[in-house]
Amino acid sequence: MISCIDSIFLKQVYLYGGQVTSWKNERREELLFLSSKAIFQPPKPIRGGIPICFPQFGNLDSLEQHGFARNRLWSVDPDPPPCSSHTNSRAFIDLILRHSEEEAKIWSHRYELRLRVALGPAGDLMLTSRIRNTNTDGKSFTFTFAYHTYFFVTDISEVRVEGLETLDYLDNLQNRERFTEQGDAITFESEVDKIYLSTPTKIAILDHERKRTFELRKDGLPDAVVWNPWDKKAKAMADFGDEEYKHMLCVEAACVEKPITLKPGEEWKGRQEISIVPSSYCSGQLDPRGQLDLRRVTFGC
């Protein structure tokens, strides 16, 4: 585990899974959900934070659920790519995952997966992934991908998601049958597990009780997954508290419907950025640029 990028705001990034598990605001309020029953050792993935789903999302192919990246030990990247000239990240860390002999038994391709976790000047949390095909046999490979982000919410019944209305989605609770979203916004009264297709680059998650909004911006990830297990499935998961479904919501920037194919030497890039702004319910007392203070940052670009 890497204990922190920033001494207050980004507390934990685990090498196991290459996974961010904590992101806090200046009031030290946790913004990501992490189950009190989470298991931090193989073969179970960490239940919460931001798991990386690669090279498979869900159980649509022969690999384990959501692929193997979230169950592997990553390394700190000793030679990360430089910050681009337009980026404003003030604190970052680079992780890397490469093929192994163990993986070759179940997925025979050589690859390089780089993950940069960064904080922006206002405390925005930015994740950038680069996947390169390093096969030496001339073979292409195909994959799906998702940032399986668990947001901490005060009360799921008081949460709404905006930006996905009128879009088509695949309902995993109905054998991935295709439907069109009918509501003005997505609200929650029961289990939900949907893959929204061809989604906009910005999605909003409004926490009415806490009077704040998560803004999720994404690039290279056309789909968005929305998931909450609700009460029955929560009780069936050993690494999830019976009542914890009330305080979490997964909204996941993803590429699922149309898998990505890379030829040897080719690279794909996907990115998501999460920020906190006052919600439409807010009285205006919160300053969206004052949520996180990077004056204490210990790493720089």
Side-chain angles (χ1 to χ4, degrees):
M1 180 189 73
I2 301 166
S3 59
C4 65
I5 286 180
D6 173 86
S7 58
I8 293 179
F9 304 111
L10 186 55
K11 283 289 186 180
Q12 292 178 343
V13 181
Y14 276 79
L15 292 179
Y16 178 54
Q19 191 161 330
V20 178
T21 57
S22 179
W23 173 45
K24 297 183 179 182
N25 62 17
E26 63 181 4
R27 300 177 184 177
R28 303 197 180 206
E29 296 170 332
E30 183 57 65
L31 303 172
L32 298 177
F33 169 83
L34 181 67
S35 175
S36 62
K37 294 188 175 183
I39 299 168
F40 294 85
Q41 59 185 7
K44 291 289 292 184
I46 301 171
R47 176 72 69 182
I50 309 179
I52 304 295
C53 301
F54 170 83
Q56 172 184 298
F57 177 83
N59 56 0
L60 304 180
D61 209 335
S62 58
L63 298 176
E64 59 199 90
Q65 173 86 358
H66 293 324
F68 50 70
R70 64 180 187 154
N71 295 329
R72 296 295 187 266
L73 187 64
W74 295 50
S75 302
V76 176
D77 192 345
D79 186 28
C83 288
S84 59
S85 58
H86 62 273
T87 188
N88 292 318
S89 61
R90 298 285 186 86
F92 69 93
I93 189 165
D94 290 89
L95 304 180
I96 189 166
L97 182 69
R98 293 189 175 98
H99 65 280
S100 68
E101 294 301 320
E102 179 184 2
E103 287 164 11
K105 300 173 184 177
I106 57 173
W107 204 63
S108 60
H109 301 290
R110 299 168 66 93
Y111 68 91
E112 186 176 82
L113 169 50
R114 294 178 183 268
L115 172 67
R116 171 164 290 177
V117 181
L119 286 176
D124 299 353
L125 178 60
M126 299 174 285
L127 278 73
T128 303
S129 294
R130 291 177 172 85
I131 298 170
R132 178 176 291 275
N133 182 338
T134 58
N135 277 334
T136 58
D137 58 6
K139 293 183 179 179
S140 301
F141 64 68
T142 299
F143 65 93
T144 51
F145 182 94
Y147 292 118
H148 198 320
T149 307
Y150 286 75
F151 291 96
F152 176 83
V153 297
T154 313
D155 180 352
I156 187 62
S157 66
E158 297 291 335
V159 171
R160 56 188 284 162
V161 176
E162 296 182 351
L164 303 176
E165 51 274 6
T166 75
L167 297 181
D168 285 358
Y169 65 87
L170 306 177
D171 194 334
N172 286 323
L173 301 181
Q174 299 192 50
N175 297 315
R176 290 171 57 84
E177 189 174 346
R178 191 173 185 130
F179 298 94
T180 300
E181 186 61 56
Q182 301 296 326
D184 294 334
I186 300 168
T187 56
F188 302 92
E189 299 176 345
S190 61
E191 181 185 358
V192 61
D193 189 356
K194 298 177 179 179
I195 304 170
Y196 289 85
L197 309 174
S198 301
T199 59
T201 57
K202 185 171 77 171
I203 300 168
I205 302 103
L206 290 76
D207 187 340
H208 173 58
E209 193 76 19
R210 196 60 63 96
K211 296 183 172 62
R212 69 183 176 205
T213 296
F214 296 98
E215 276 193 359
L216 188 157
R217 295 177 294 279
K218 56 192 180 68
D219 183 54
L221 297 160
D223 305 321
V225 181
V226 179
W227 178 70
N228 183 291
W230 221 251
D231 53 349
K232 290 184 179 179
K233 284 193 176 175
K235 292 176 181 178
M237 293 188 286
D239 60 347
F240 196 91
D242 290 355
E243 301 296 315
E244 287 185 331
Y245 74 93
K246 298 177 181 178
H247 306 297
M248 57 73 63
L249 177 66
C250 287
V251 179
E252 311 166 32
C255 186
V256 179
E257 183 190 27
K258 298 177 181 178
I260 300 152
T261 298
L262 294 179
K263 297 177 182 178
E266 288 186 336
E267 182 179 89
W268 169 86
K269 178 180 176 181
R271 182 177 182 274
Q272 81 167 17
E273 179 176 347
I274 310 170
S275 57
I276 303 294
V277 298
S279 74
S280 58
Y281 302 104
C282 186
S283 63
Q285 297 165 332
L286 297 179
D287 176 2
R289 295 192 63 80
Q291 291 299 294
L292 298 171
D293 183 355
L294 292 193
R295 290 173 294 180
R296 307 182 189 217
V297 167
T298 55
F299 293 78
C301 181

